[in-house]
Amino acid sequence: MSDDHTHVQEFFGARAADWDSRFPDDGPAYAAAVDDLGLRPGDRVLDAGCGTGRALPPLRAAVGPSGVVLGADLTPEMLQAAVRAGRERDGWLLLADVAALPLRPQTLDAVFAAGLIAHLPNPVDNLRELARVVRPGGTLALFHPIGRAALAARQGRQVTPDDLRAETNLGPLLARSGWRMTSYVDEDARFLALATREN
């Protein structure tokens, strides 16, 4: 991905209108991953790279009416699809780059990121930016509704040792970015890595 994000915007912009219909059965996996995030009523959470906002309803349910839910995405068409789906009722939608969030330091309790890490141009710096906006002890969830091997098979490729999502790569990457990985699951049915914001 180039630093100006043109490629990512073009890729997702062209697919935004039918994105949800391409993956109609992912809802329960999103809800289960949000449950594992351990949010409490009143918490403040960001869905980083929110796309069409599929995580926003379970995030809202987890933090309740007193909580804050933000969805940030780089692609206007994805946010427009989120609005068409009515998901702006569950959280504030921001047209924003997760590499430079318009948020003050330590304002959030958690970040949920579905499918994001593969699209980060500078993973250490970008994950450090997510750490910047989360309070010490807060949580990061890196999620995908299918595991690495299943995703690679869907895309007609092989899983390679340099995959950022491999446990041996992801743990050190998170550590360099201000996070400590606390849980790692990579199954056919889902990928979920949880991390805690270091002090």
Side-chain angles (χ1 to χ4, degrees):
M1 176 174 139
S2 61
D3 285 341
D4 69 0
H5 308 303
T6 301
H7 174 71
V8 166
Q9 287 176 315
E10 288 175 353
F11 179 88
F12 286 106
R15 291 162 176 80
D18 68 345
W19 188 261
D20 287 354
S21 64
R22 292 177 63 203
F23 309 105
D25 302 323
D26 287 349
Y30 273 79
V34 168
D35 283 347
D36 287 342
L37 193 51
L39 294 168
R40 296 170 300 199
D43 276 354
R44 297 155 300 173
V45 60
L46 168 69
D47 182 1
C50 68
T52 62
R54 290 182 292 172
L56 297 181
L59 289 171
R60 171 55 65 198
V63 303
S66 64
V68 174
V69 178
L70 304 173
D73 202 275
L74 190 62
T75 306
E77 294 89 347
M78 282 290 193
L79 295 176
Q80 291 161 8
V83 170
R84 284 193 302 274
R87 295 181 183 130
E88 82 284 1
R89 292 187 298 265
D90 294 304
W92 296 96
L93 297 175
L94 307 172
L95 180 62
D97 183 352
V98 300
L101 291 164
L103 300 172
R104 289 187 300 236
Q106 301 184 16
T107 55
L108 302 174
D109 298 292
V111 172
F112 183 87
L116 177 71
I117 193 164
H119 302 288
L120 297 177
N122 301 298
V124 171
D125 292 341
N126 303 151
L127 290 168
R128 192 173 289 139
E129 171 65 359
L130 296 180
R132 180 187 69 81
V133 299
V134 174
R135 63 169 174 77
T139 307
L140 169 68
L142 298 175
F143 167 72
H144 202 281
I146 62 174
R148 293 185 311 124
L151 180 61
R154 178 191 285 175
Q155 296 172 342
R157 59 178 179 81
Q158 297 290 320
V159 175
T160 60
D162 63 343
D163 184 342
L164 290 179
R165 293 162 293 186
E167 187 172 7
T168 54
N169 297 330
L170 187 57
L173 172 63
L174 288 165
R176 290 194 308 273
S177 307
W179 300 96
R180 178 177 51 83
M181 191 161 68
T182 58
S183 174
Y184 182 90
V185 176
D186 183 14
E187 305 167 339
D188 281 349
R190 76 171 179 164
F191 174 90
L192 181 65
L194 298 176
T196 299
R197 169 72 160 87
E198 297 280 49
N199 293 333

